[in-house]
Amino acid sequence: MSYQKVTIDQLQPGSYVIKVLEQTGELEIKHAGWVRTRQAIRSLRAQGVLAVAIDPAKQLSTTTAPAKPATEREPEPIAFRALFADEQPKAQRCIEQTQQVQKQVLQAAASGEPVDLSLVHEVSAGLSDAVSRNPDVLLCLGRIAAQSDALLRHSLNCALYMAAFARFLNLPKHKIQALITAALLHDVGKAQNPKLLQAEDAAAISTSLAVLQRSTALAGEVSLWISQHCACPDGSGEPAIRDAQLDNGSKMLAIVNRYEKLSAPEQGYVSPLAAARQLLALAPAKVDGDLLQLFIKCIGVYPPGTVVRLSTGRLALVLENNAKKPTLPKVKVFYHSTHHHHVPPKVVDLSRQVEEQVEACVDLNKYGLDVRNYL
């Protein structure tokens, strides 16, 4: 069956888009998919799409069934993926804005002032939009960022992991934003009482909730997720509730919280593979096994921002995951570990060649190099 070219003005909801044919930008299609709403078409137009190829044999009915209520609408599929280079400056600004707001949040908590949740909701929406364009860029920038404040780094990275995780699960946009908000706020009590920084996470929950209760417009589900994120499916956590009583959002927050703590610089270098194995050893008693498998699939075998050694001895920075071939991500080579010299930087898609494979994850500090110089 031949495909049909249509302009962006002719494109209708229910069309099955194969690829972009004409555009003023550099939008890269990730996979073919349905365009279900006029909002999705407006988004394509805003990104510079002028014409697309559709499969006329595939057409969803938009008139036979009544529209679902807003709370029940299906999330939009990720049909298009922004190029890494195009998304990088946008993602960097998004992270910097989130970082600034999070500093204000922690300062307010420390001084006993109400947290301005309107700002938190704003940056949560920004992170949600960023992961819809290309989640790997956010993950990469977050992993290589330097941050001297451990509490700020932890909450920011939890938010980035949560944004990618929730989007990977294709949750509705409002749910993604709420989960990001919970990730940003789950440890605010530690800013008010620094002694809690050395205590178990559960010890800070009541203080965190008390800080947030001074604010308005905090969704009840956010409080629920924060209150349950130290609970375990087998009932051994705090509070002592079991799997059936745990909300999925709480389970997701528990996973990203544990993963970020395992990957923290204070622990020394821990490879992503080692961190994943440590988490898998906790399932299903301490963390939800099914959600954990999905989280690992989301961030990848070699998460963006990881430095790896290739079979040729070259070192490379992982830029993007490969969902179909997880061990063959897209990387940027920059150094030779055997000869100890820089090589011309080059982006290599390992799935498109046979000369090199990933041998191991690498602690770049052992080479006296700063990964931020090679993005």
Side-chain angles (χ1 to χ4, degrees):
M1 181 69 180
S2 61
Y3 299 141
Q4 176 183 347
K5 176 182 177 180
V6 297
T7 67
I8 193 65
D9 293 328
Q10 296 170 330
L11 187 62
Q12 296 295 318
S15 300
Y16 191 80
V17 176
I18 304 299
K19 62 181 178 179
V20 175
L21 296 178
E22 298 175 12
Q23 60 178 317
T24 57
E26 295 183 335
L27 188 68
E28 179 185 13
I29 189 167
K30 185 182 179 184
H31 56 74
W34 302 103
V35 174
R36 299 175 184 270
T37 65
R38 293 197 178 277
Q39 176 58 41
I41 297 173
R42 287 194 292 270
S43 177
L44 293 178
R45 183 185 288 109
Q47 294 180 76
V49 174
L50 302 176
V52 297
I54 66 170
D55 185 346
K58 296 182 178 180
Q59 182 70 35
L60 290 177
S61 172
T62 58
T63 59
T64 57
K68 293 183 179 181
T71 56
E72 299 180 9
R73 291 191 187 279
E74 294 182 1
E76 284 292 317
I78 306 174
F80 297 95
R81 185 183 184 92
L83 294 175
F84 193 102
D86 291 341
E87 181 59 24
Q88 182 180 341
K90 299 176 185 177
Q92 185 63 51
R93 287 193 298 271
C94 185
I95 289 177
E96 290 172 355
Q97 290 168 357
T98 305
Q99 189 177 50
Q100 290 303 314
V101 168
Q102 190 63 7
K103 285 181 180 178
Q104 296 177 38
V105 167
L106 297 179
Q107 289 169 358
S111 60
E113 299 174 358
V115 174
D116 188 346
L117 290 178
S118 65
L119 294 177
V120 178
H121 295 324
E122 184 177 328
V123 294
S124 295
L127 290 176
S128 176
D129 289 341
V131 295
S132 70
R133 296 189 297 266
N134 188 329
D136 288 343
V137 182
L138 272 184
L139 291 176
C140 183
L141 293 177
R143 192 172 186 88
I144 70 174
Q147 178 55 250
S148 57
D149 187 314
L151 183 56
L152 177 61
R153 185 215 68 245
H154 175 69
S155 55
L156 178 62
N157 283 346
C158 281
L160 298 181
Y161 286 131
M162 183 63 85
F165 190 15
R167 184 64 185 182
F168 180 82
L169 297 180
N170 210 18
L171 299 179
K173 188 173 183 179
H174 73 276
K175 182 73 75 174
I176 295 175
Q177 293 179 12
L179 286 163
I180 295 170
T181 295
L184 286 170
L185 299 177
H186 75 284
D187 272 345
V188 292
K190 294 183 179 181
Q192 184 176 83
N193 183 358
K195 291 182 180 179
L196 293 171
L197 291 170
Q198 308 304 322
E200 295 293 326
D201 282 352
I205 291 177
S206 60
T207 307
S208 296
L209 293 175
V211 168
L212 296 174
Q213 284 171 0
R214 292 197 294 266
S215 305
T216 57
L218 180 68
E221 59 187 359
V222 172
S223 296
L224 174 66
W225 297 330
I226 293 174
S227 71
Q228 292 185 344
H229 82 279
C230 291
C232 299
D234 67 354
S236 63
E238 191 173 331
I241 55 178
R242 302 185 70 86
D243 183 68
Q245 299 169 283
L246 287 171
D247 189 88
N248 271 356
S250 307
K251 297 176 182 179
M252 293 171 67
L253 185 55
I255 289 170
V256 300
N257 178 60
R258 285 181 182 268
Y259 183 82
E260 205 290 324
K261 289 174 74 70
L262 287 172
S263 307
E266 295 84 7
Q267 307 298 325
Y269 178 76
V270 177
S271 76
L273 292 177
R277 289 191 188 104
Q278 290 181 54
L279 273 183
L280 287 168
L282 298 176
K286 306 302 181 184
V287 293
D288 186 277
D290 293 336
L291 282 172
L292 178 57
Q293 291 284 355
L294 291 170
F295 175 71
I296 293 173
K297 186 175 181 180
C298 164
I299 63 173
V301 176
Y302 307 108
T306 303
V307 177
V308 295
R309 183 178 67 249
L310 304 179
S311 52
T312 58
R314 297 199 296 179
L315 300 186
L317 174 65
V318 177
L319 298 180
E320 296 184 89
N321 286 316
N322 185 326
K324 295 182 178 180
K325 299 179 180 178
T327 61
L328 299 173
K330 185 179 292 186
V331 303
K332 185 177 183 179
V333 296
F334 59 88
Y335 192 80
H336 202 292
S337 63
T338 303
H339 304 306
H340 299 283
H341 65 73
H342 288 87
V343 298
K346 181 182 179 181
V347 175
V348 179
D349 187 341
L350 296 179
S351 68
R352 296 177 178 269
Q353 50 85 63
V354 296
E355 294 82 10
E356 293 182 292
Q357 297 179 347
V358 175
E359 281 194 338
C361 300
V362 171
D363 180 5
L364 201 57
N365 290 326
K366 292 184 177 180
Y367 294 87
L369 303 175
D370 187 339
V371 66
R372 293 171 295 171
N373 296 327
Y374 305 106
L375 183 56

